[in-house]
Amino acid sequence: MTVIRYVAIGDSFSEGVGDELPDGSVRGWADLVAQGWADGTRRPVEYANLAIRGKLVWPIVEEQLEQALALRPTHLSFNGGGNDMLRPRIPLSRVVDAFRRVLRRCDEQGVTLILLSGANPSSQLPLSRLIQSRGDALSRQVVELVDDRSDVVRALNWPDRELSTPGYWSQDRLHMNSRGHHRVAARVLAALGVEAPGEWWSMPPLDLPRLGAGTYARDHLGPWVRRRLTGTSSGDGRAAKHPAFITVAPGTDGAAAA
C-alpha cells in the first residue's frame, strides 16, 4: 500500500490565513485536505506545509520548493501569484515561469503536482477590474501550461463564482474565511477522487459584519499599503507551520506528531 506523503507550498492561501482557530493558529484548506484525505482513504497521511503568508511567487519557488522535494513527497500542492497580481507592474509571463519550474521539478522527482488557482476576491477590492483581468489572464495561461497533462491534479478556484461571493471571505476581503477554506478543500479532494464531507461545499454563513469604508481602510487597506511602501511583508520573521511531516490519522480533528 502506497503511503501518501503530501506537502503544500505557497503563500497565505496555502498557509491557511483567514481560517483562524481559537488558539490563534491558522488551519486552512491544506490542513483540511490532509484530514479529509486520511478520512476518505481510511489510512494515515503524512503532511507538511511550508507556505508562508505574503510571499511573491518566485520567493515561494526559491525558498520552499527544494525544501519540500527534499522531504520526498508523493504529492505537492502549489499556488502562487496572488500577491504578485496586487503589485503595480508584474509581467504575468514571469509568474507562469514559476509554475513551469515547479512542474519541471516535480516531473524530475516523480512527484504528483496538485495545481491550484486561488479564489477570486476582485469584486470586493479596489482596482477590481484590473485584478479581475490579471487573474483571468494568469488562470488561462497556467491552464494552457498543463492542458495536455492528465497526470497533473487540478483544483481551479478562480472560476468558482460561488466562492467569489462575500460570504466566503474574511473582513480584510483578501483572504478566505473558514467557510471558503472548506469549499476549496472540497474541490481539492474531489480532484483527487476523494469524497469530502458534503457540508464542506457550503458551510453555514458566518456572522462577520461587513466593515464600512473608513474602518476597512484603517484596519486593512492602510496597513497593506504601508507594507508595500516600506518593502515589508506580513510573513517577515515567520516560520512554516509544518516544516516536517506530521501524521494525520483517519477520524481525528487534527494532526498527531509523527
Side-chain angles (χ1 to χ4, degrees), residues 150-163:
S150 60
D151 57 323
V152 174
V153 178
R154 307 177 204 184
L156 305 178
N157 300 287
W158 187 264
D160 186 342
R161 293 187 178 182
E162 172 71 13
L163 193 55

Side-chain angles (χ1 to χ4, degrees), residues 13 18 24 50 79 95 121 130 142 171 177 228-229 234 236 240 250 252 257:
F13 175 61
L50 308 183
N79 170 264
V95 179
L130 174 62
V142 170
Q171 288 183 317
N177 58 30
R228 301 292 75 76
L229 294 175
S234 57
D236 287 347
T252 62

Side-chain angles (χ1 to χ4, degrees), residues 15 62 70 84 106 131 143 146 157 169 192 200-202 206 213 217 233-234 247 249:
E15 184 186 347
E62 292 166 347
D84 300 73
C106 284
I131 296 169
V143 169
V146 298
N157 300 287
W169 295 84
L192 290 165
W200 285 16
W201 288 98
S202 186
L206 299 174
S233 168
S234 57
T247 301

Side-chain angles (χ1 to χ4, degrees), residues 89-102:
R89 301 177 189 84
I90 176 66
L92 291 183
S93 60
R94 179 166 167 75
V95 179
V96 176
D97 282 345
F99 281 83
R100 187 175 286 111
R101 167 80 69 83
V102 173

Side-chain angles (χ1 to χ4, degrees), residues 58-183:
W58 272 103
I60 293 172
V61 173
E62 292 166 347
E63 298 168 12
Q64 299 176 22
L65 177 59
E66 295 305 321
Q67 182 182 352
L69 293 175
L71 296 173
R72 301 181 65 183
T74 58
H75 296 75
L76 180 145
S77 67
F78 171 63
N79 170 264
N83 291 309
D84 300 73
M85 288 197 308
L86 299 177
R87 271 38 179 193
R89 301 177 189 84
I90 176 66
L92 291 183
S93 60
R94 179 166 167 75
V95 179
V96 176
D97 282 345
F99 281 83
R100 187 175 286 111
R101 167 80 69 83
V102 173
L103 178 61
R104 176 175 63 81
R105 290 294 292 129
C106 284
D107 285 346
E108 291 172 350
Q109 298 297 313
V111 176
T112 297
L113 176 61
I114 304 171
L115 184 64
L116 291 95
S117 60
N120 182 357
S122 60
S123 64
Q124 309 171 77
L125 297 176
L127 303 176
S128 60
R129 293 180 65 182
L130 174 62
I131 296 169
Q132 175 79 54
S133 175
R134 286 180 172 179
D136 288 346
L138 178 59
S139 181
R140 181 174 61 252
Q141 291 179 41
V142 170
V143 169
E144 290 173 355
L145 179 65
V146 298
D147 193 45
D148 61 346
R149 296 289 303 268
S150 60
D151 57 323
V152 174
V153 178
R154 307 177 204 184
L156 305 178
N157 300 287
W158 187 264
D160 186 342
R161 293 187 178 182
E162 172 71 13
L163 193 55
S164 70
T165 56
Y168 291 92
W169 295 84
S170 299
Q171 288 183 317
D172 67 4
R173 307 181 193 175
L174 192 60
H175 298 100
M176 294 180 304
N177 58 30
S178 178
R179 190 174 182 233
H181 278 281
H182 277 83
R183 185 174 175 89

